[in-house]
Amino acid sequence: MRVGRLILLSVAALLFAAPSAQAAFHLMKVSEVYPGATGANPNDAFIELQMFEAGQNLVGGHKVDYYTDTGALLGSYTIAENVANGESQRKILIGDTAVAGATPDFVVDQLGDALKGGTATGGAVCFPDAQPPDCVSWGNFTPQAGFPNVQSANAPVIPDGQSLTRSTASGCPNFLEPGDDTDSSAADFALTTPTPENNNSPLPTACGGGGGAPTTTIDRVKVKGDDVKVKFSSDDPDATFECKLDKGDFKSCKSPKRYRNLDDGKHKVKVRATDADGNRGKAAKAKFKIG
C-alpha cells in the first residue's frame, strides 16, 4: 500500500513538473541569421535566438533547423546544453569557428559553408520547439509539407556580408515582444550589418521605466494580535509581486498580503516586483514582532 502511494505521488509530481520544464525554452524566436561572408573570413556565419520572457534558458537538447530554397532540410544543430542567463531579452549565439564581434555560446564548424552553399538564392532557419514554432525565410524559399511555420512572405535574399535581423518596433523598440512576430519574414526582418550577441551580452534598456527593473516599496505593516497585514506597491503599475515570510519561499501575492496565526517573536517579510518583460527588482524588506 505504501509503495502504491509513493508511485502515485511520484506520478503526480511529474505531471506538475512537466509544464515548468516545457515553459523553460519555448518563449524564444530567431532574431538574426548571417550566412557569412566570402573571401577573407568565410567561417563567420551565425544564427541567433532571443528570449522574450524570463526563464527560457533550459534549451539543452532542442534544435535549430536550416533549409534550402526548395524547402529541403539542409541541416540541424541540437543545442548542447542549457545557457547560464535566462532574463527576458537574453540571446543565444550559435556560430561558426570565426564569428567576429562576439564569442558563440555554441560553435558549429562549417555552419557558414552550409548556409552559403545551400541558401544562396533562398532558405529558412527555424526554432521548431518554440510555441508556436518560429521561422525566418528569405529569397525564393518554397516550403515543403510539414514545414513548421509557413511565412506569408519571404524576406529578401541575403547579400554577401549582410544579415537578416528581426524588427522590434511594435511596442517597446528595444525589446523583443510577441507582437513583433507577424508570420511575415518580409515584414518582420530587415537587412542589416551583422551584430552577433551571445548569452553574456548586455541587456537592452527597458522602455518607459527608466531602464531598470521595477522598484518595490513596503508602504505599511500592521500587526494585530498574531496576524499581520502588509501593504506594498511598485513604481511599475503593471508589475506582479512575490512575497516571502521568514525562511519560506517567494510566492505570488497581492497587496495587502495577510499572514495569520504567527508565532510570537521577530519576523521578516520580503516583497519583490517583476515587470511584464520578466525584469525582477530587488526585494523590499520589513521587520515586525508578534507578542
Side-chain angles (χ1 to χ4, degrees):
M1 187 70 178
R2 184 177 180 183
V3 172
R5 187 177 297 121
L6 288 173
I7 292 173
L8 287 173
L9 289 172
S10 299
V11 171
L14 288 171
L15 289 173
F16 280 107
S20 297
Q22 185 184 43
F25 62 83
H26 71 226
L27 301 180
M28 185 101 57
K29 293 187 182 296
V30 179
S31 57
E32 189 170 358
V33 175
Y34 176 51
T38 56
N41 191 19
N43 299 317
D44 57 349
F46 64 84
I47 297 168
E48 187 180 88
L49 305 177
Q50 185 172 357
M51 309 172 196
F52 59 91
E53 289 287 350
Q56 305 301 301
N57 54 320
L58 303 185
V59 292
H62 299 282
K63 64 177 182 175
V64 175
D65 295 329
Y66 25 103
Y67 296 81
T68 67
D69 58 355
T70 61
L73 184 63
L74 177 65
S76 295
Y77 172 70
T78 300
I79 300 174
E81 58 187 357
N82 300 332
V83 291
N85 300 309
E87 299 96 327
S88 177
Q89 308 306 311
R90 285 290 183 183
K91 297 180 178 179
I92 300 172
L93 187 63
I94 300 166
D96 209 330
T97 55
V99 173
T103 302
D105 298 297
F106 303 101
V107 176
V108 182
D109 191 18
Q110 299 183 336
L111 175 64
D113 293 338
L115 291 177
K116 285 194 295 289
T119 63
T121 60
V125 169
C126 295
F127 183 58
D129 290 340
Q131 290 188 4
D134 186 67
C135 299
V136 54
S137 59
W138 63 91
N140 59 1
F141 173 77
T142 303
Q144 296 183 10
F147 185 71
N149 179 239
V150 178
Q151 301 289 292
S152 61
N154 297 332
V157 170
I158 309 174
D160 187 46
Q162 289 195 289
S163 67
L164 278 176
T165 301
R166 185 181 289 276
S167 169
T168 57
S170 68
C172 172
N174 302 334
F175 273 51
L176 174 63
E177 300 165 298
D180 293 319
D181 189 352
T182 67
D183 286 338
S184 169
S185 292
D188 297 341
F189 284 80
L191 293 170
T192 65
T193 300
T195 54
E197 294 184 82
N198 61 25
N199 190 240
N200 292 314
S201 296
L203 290 169
T205 301
C207 295
T215 300
T216 303
T217 301
I218 295 180
D219 303 306
R220 186 181 181 188
V221 178
K222 184 177 180 180
V223 177
K224 185 176 181 180
D226 57 1
D227 297 345
V228 64
K229 181 168 69 173
V230 184
K231 295 184 70 174
F232 47 86
S233 58
S234 171
D235 60 346
D236 183 343
D238 298 319
T240 57
F241 296 94
E242 294 175 299
C243 298
K244 169 185 169 77
L245 179 67
D246 297 331
K247 295 183 180 181
D249 297 327
F250 276 103
K251 296 181 180 180
S252 177
C253 60
K254 294 182 179 180
S255 182
K257 173 64 177 175
R258 291 179 170 85
Y259 294 100
R260 304 181 187 278
N261 304 317
L262 298 178
D263 294 335
D264 287 349
K266 295 179 180 179
H267 296 273
K268 181 190 293 185
V269 65
K270 295 181 180 180
V271 185
R272 64 189 185 190
T274 302
D275 66 18
D277 296 304
N279 299 301
R280 179 179 292 158
K282 185 177 180 180
K285 307 174 185 177
K287 296 179 180 180
F288 61 92
K289 184 177 181 181
I290 299 293

